[in-house]
Amino acid sequence: MRFGGHNKYRSAVATVATRETWYSELSIDSSGALGTNGLAIDGDTLYLKSAGGCSLQALDIACTGKVGLKAAVLPSSTGRLVDWSTATHDEHLVAAGDEHGVVAVWKNRIPQLTIPAHSAACASVQFHPTVADILVTASNTGAAGELKLWSIDPAASTAIWQTTVASAIHSISVRGDGALVAASTSSGTCTIYDPRQPANSVVGTTAAFHAADRPTRVLWLGEKPYLLSTGLTKMRERSAALWDQRSLARPLASLLLQPSTKPLLPLYDEDTQLAYLVEKGDSLVRWVDADPLSAKPLSELGSVSLPAQIAGCALLPKRRLKVMNGEIARVHLVVESPGAGTGASIIPVAHVAPRRSYLDFHSDLFPDTRAPLPAQTFDQWVANEDARVPRMSLDPTKAEESLASLRQARGVQTQATNASSSHTLTPDPALACSISTTTGHTDDKDKAVSCELSRSGLICTQAAELPLVPRLEPTTSSPPSSVASKCTATLGAGSGGTKTTTAAEPSLEQQSMSTTRRLFSKPDHARFKYLEGFPYRPTDHFISLPDLNTRFPQENDPLRVSAKFIAFSCAGVGGQVGVVRRDSPGRVPAKLARIVHGADVVSMEFDPFDEAVLATAGTDCKLQMWRIPDSPLNDESLFELEEYIHVTADRVHQIRFHPCAKGIIAVLASDAGQQAIYVYHGLVLHFIVGRCDDGIHSFAWSPNGEQIALTTKKSKQVQVYDARTQELLSKGPSMNSIRPCRIAWLGDSQLCLAGFGPGSQRELAIYSAEDLSRQVAKAAIDIGPGVLVPIVDYDCN
């Protein structure tokens, strides 16, 4: 038992992903058996039923957004699909059962074979957790059910094991070590079977905790002898119960929730010993402590609400989590139409354990997890040998080596090299895997190509989803000769051809591992990529700022800071600017020192060469330079007006000091319907740069002071000028919006734009100053009305 009997993950925080990272605009069929989760996940693919119900949609985890028309379609040749699942020992294997009792199997999204498993609808399908290529299926005929064990082998025409169940089966679960199978039934009980014993030999049956003829689910807690069951009470209250296999007369703990008619879908993470209870038909997800040895088993630790009704759920494999961000689990939830006309969506919900720092790998949060490898051969399982489940490290610096050593120890190879120990998986020509494609923008095509490359483990569009190790073929072990013959071929490329790897030809594993090493060894990331921001202590804050001006122009900043002073725009007549000293934090007095410009202030800047000089520009087209006294500031402080410039224009919009030369200031002003940048040295106007009729959002000096970059309004362009000759050096398309756009230099050769895209989408874009015809990089941040303010630290890049 742990110290104190509490789960160390109890402080984990759930975060619903932003809409940009959803898998949206999906057409789905939410109907299914009581035992289905409505979603299945392998290493890099999401599987859910498409509209019509006769096929599966395969979505790449790395590709988010509006992906409904880009999904690969895995069709069924017989009828509507009822349940489907993926293999824990193979990241490319998925099986689905339909309403006619036929089970179809796909590998690498290619149809392999169909198994006529039952005479009635296949209620549940699951892969064996420790033996490769073994399936467990369930079906109901009238009020009775049947369980069967199958080999994924064309030569195996009969079930390896089967038994009848007195009541209709709602769901099945195989224990983590593969020794026992549990089935939840319509009688409200759960029955346990040993598939290595003769048919109809029951190991045990739980008490009738849940009401009969109501939806029930059962789930083994990993390799432990404990079960978690969910169902409804006679009053239709959702309920969950924790059982000990060795004593099934009464549950160890139970939990009652609000009434409903829909089932409670359980998910379990054996590494954290947390269970996630998903309320199908509602919008709530709870997580509870599922450790039987804890102080309060099944005690609720938290909950999160979704924007629409939940239709399905699945847990992402642990090896795909962002462990360096403290992510302990990620639940993917299928929701039905979160907005009008949007279709269904899959929403990721990340659970993060709080830590003071995420710079290092926290081994206490992430123990070794189950590796995507089989634990034993079929013969070993039949002989009742203990299954040693292979486990790999989640440390990014060790994960690849850990998995590679496990594969080497178990003799896992990417191609068939040992004809005596591999199954035959011949693609079924009757099933054609069709991929839906659409013509769209170039960005969409590039994204689709990136998704295709990501399936091979060679490249990924999102760094968070980059596989830590190349994906390899699983170990294949043969059932006894009486059940399935031993063959010499493995799955080949394309539509069914076989391929073997010779010593002279590098295998896909070697190519993929080499590429992965190059990706991780390339020093192209920022030195400060793990930087994390923390607020100062409350005693260092400046609070209760009086009369703060909330109507300041969006193109400018109402707050400016120098090494000694803080200036902010105040509401009121006369264009007031409040000034406080940086070494005097705390509550700002109502009677603070104020600069009175004489008209509404539209822009202000500190002199970069004199931290006590503040320039203010007002609607009266006057530019004033104020010297702040180096003494305690109060409402009686006097500010000296050092310089005064009257700009010959109709209106002043922005001011910017020269970054390298003292006394030079640029003023963005409009005159006679045109806008331009006026460059002053003292009282003398020297240059007029970028005169145009379109209007200018903002401008910025280059760090060396030789160029000026600006963004226009109507023509939506970004332009770079030579400040001395006023020559246009380069121009290109800016943000696709007429809303305010900010510009900043990233060194002397690159520009950063912060603005809006279509639909209030806030975006960042990077340009090369020499070639503005295209964007070097672009990122969508979020949706909001406020303007993003880019602040560049040239020292840290």
Side-chain angles (χ1 to χ4, degrees), residues 25-41 45-59 68 71-76 79-85 94-99 106 121-123 280 311-313 334-336 343-346:
E25 294 193 0
L26 302 173
S27 298
I28 67 169
D29 182 359
S30 58
S31 64
L34 297 175
T36 183
N37 282 346
L39 181 67
I41 305 180
T45 308
L46 302 165
Y47 299 96
L48 70 163
K49 189 160 55 170
S50 59
C54 294
S55 59
L56 285 180
Q57 300 180 75
L59 305 173
V73 179
L74 282 60
S76 172
R80 295 172 61 89
L81 299 180
V82 179
D83 186 34
W84 58 99
S85 68
V94 59
D98 63 18
E99 60 185 354
W106 296 268
C122 189
K280 187 175 182 179
C313 59
V334 183
V335 297
E336 300 177 354
S345 299
I346 299 177

Side-chain angles (χ1 to χ4, degrees), residues 164-189:
T164 58
V165 182
S167 304
I169 299 174
H170 288 174
S171 70
I172 60 174
S173 178
V174 186
R175 201 167 74 178
D177 58 4
L180 300 175
V181 178
S184 65
T185 63
S186 59
S187 62
T189 63

Side-chain angles (χ1 to χ4, degrees), residues 653-797:
H653 302 280
Q654 293 177 13
I655 57 174
R656 298 288 187 269
F657 277 99
H658 195 283
C660 302
K662 181 175 175 58
I664 298 179
I665 189 169
V667 182
L668 173 60
S670 57
D671 184 31
Q674 290 185 329
Q675 285 192 350
I677 300 170
Y678 297 73
V679 181
Y680 285 88
H681 181 217
L683 301 177
V684 181
L685 175 63
H686 284 269
F687 309 114
I688 299 179
V689 180
R691 188 185 297 274
C692 66
D693 300 327
D694 294 338
I696 298 175
H697 280 303
S698 64
F699 74 98
W701 288 96
S702 63
N704 57 17
E706 297 179 356
Q707 299 172 346
I708 293 178
L710 58 88
T711 58
T712 63
K713 295 181 179 179
K714 294 181 181 179
S715 59
K716 304 176 185 177
Q717 288 187 342
V718 54
Q719 302 174 356
V720 175
Y721 289 86
D722 188 303
R724 296 186 180 89
T725 64
Q726 301 93 56
E727 178 187 356
L728 177 61
L729 301 179
S730 180
K731 68 178 181 179
S734 177
M735 295 292 185
N736 186 24
S737 175
I738 61 173
R739 301 182 65 180
C741 178
R742 295 289 191 95
I743 190 171
W745 285 83
L746 305 177
D748 296 327
S749 60
Q750 286 188 324
L751 292 167
C752 174
L753 266 64
F756 294 87
S760 298
Q761 178 76 47
R762 296 196 287 192
E763 298 177 345
L764 286 178
I766 296 178
Y767 293 81
S768 172
E770 298 179 355
D771 182 11
L772 298 176
S773 60
R774 63 183 183 87
Q775 298 171 343
V776 176
K778 182 178 179 181
I781 306 301
D782 56 11
I783 297 176
V787 181
L788 293 174
V789 181
I791 300 176
V792 181
D793 186 345
Y794 296 108
D795 297 329
C796 299
N797 193 22

Side-chain angles (χ1 to χ4, degrees), residues 296-579:
K296 294 182 179 179
L298 294 188
S299 58
E300 184 174 339
L301 302 180
S303 62
V304 64
S305 181
L306 276 295
Q309 291 186 353
I310 300 173
C313 59
L315 273 174
L316 185 70
K318 298 297 287 286
R319 58 190 178 278
R320 301 302 181 192
L321 298 179
K322 302 176 184 178
V323 295
M324 297 305 297
N325 293 344
E327 186 181 27
I328 62 170
R330 191 187 309 170
V331 183
H332 285 73
L333 301 161
V334 183
V335 297
E336 300 177 354
S337 302
T342 60
S345 299
I346 299 177
I347 303 178
V349 178
H351 294 258
V352 177
R355 282 291 188 271
R356 290 186 178 181
S357 173
Y358 296 105
L359 296 179
D360 301 320
F361 176 74
H362 294 276
S363 57
D364 60 318
L365 289 181
F366 303 100
D368 290 352
T369 191
R370 180 186 288 263
L373 297 170
Q376 56 188 170
T377 64
F378 183 86
D379 295 334
Q380 292 172 337
W381 177 72
V382 171
N384 203 16
E385 296 183 12
D386 293 336
R388 296 183 180 179
V389 176
R391 296 190 176 274
M392 59 177 288
S393 173
L394 289 177
D395 188 341
T397 62
K398 303 177 182 178
E400 180 180 352
E401 181 181 356
S402 173
L403 185 57
S405 61
L406 287 174
R407 294 185 188 278
Q408 183 178 7
R410 284 166 169 76
V412 179
Q413 302 173 357
T414 57
Q415 304 292 340
T417 57
N418 189 349
S420 62
S421 61
S422 61
H423 283 319
T424 296
L425 290 180
T426 306
D428 188 353
L431 297 177
C433 180
S434 63
I435 300 178
S436 301
T437 59
T438 58
T439 58
H441 300 290
T442 304
D443 294 342
D444 296 335
K445 294 180 180 179
D446 294 341
K447 186 173 182 181
V449 172
S450 298
C451 294
E452 289 295 331
L453 292 174
S454 70
R455 294 186 196 133
S456 64
L458 301 181
I459 192 171
C460 189
T461 58
Q462 297 183 7
E465 302 296 343
L466 185 64
L468 298 176
V469 294
R471 297 178 293 124
L472 308 178
E473 299 294 334
T475 296
T476 53
S477 57
S478 172
S481 57
S482 59
V483 177
S485 62
K486 300 178 180 180
C487 304
T488 61
T490 81
L491 178 64
S495 60
T498 60
K499 180 180 178 180
T500 58
T501 302
T502 63
E505 180 184 0
S507 66
L508 178 61
E509 174 188 2
Q510 296 168 344
Q511 298 173 7
S512 181
M513 291 179 66
S514 175
T515 305
T516 303
R517 291 193 184 99
R518 289 198 301 270
L519 286 173
F520 278 96
S521 62
K522 186 178 181 181
D524 60 351
H525 57 271
R527 293 174 296 165
F528 303 94
K529 63 180 294 187
Y530 295 118
L531 207 64
E532 187 172 1
F534 295 95
Y536 274 72
R537 299 187 303 270
T539 55
D540 295 330
H541 295 179
F542 295 84
I543 61 175
S544 300
L545 300 180
D547 304 326
L548 187 64
N549 184 9
T550 58
R551 301 178 64 86
F552 205 76
Q554 284 193 337
E555 294 84 358
N556 298 314
D557 298 325
L559 178 70
R560 286 298 181 185
V561 181
S562 72
K564 288 186 177 181
F565 303 100
I566 298 175
F568 57 92
S569 177
C570 296
V573 298
Q576 303 177 30
V577 177
V579 182

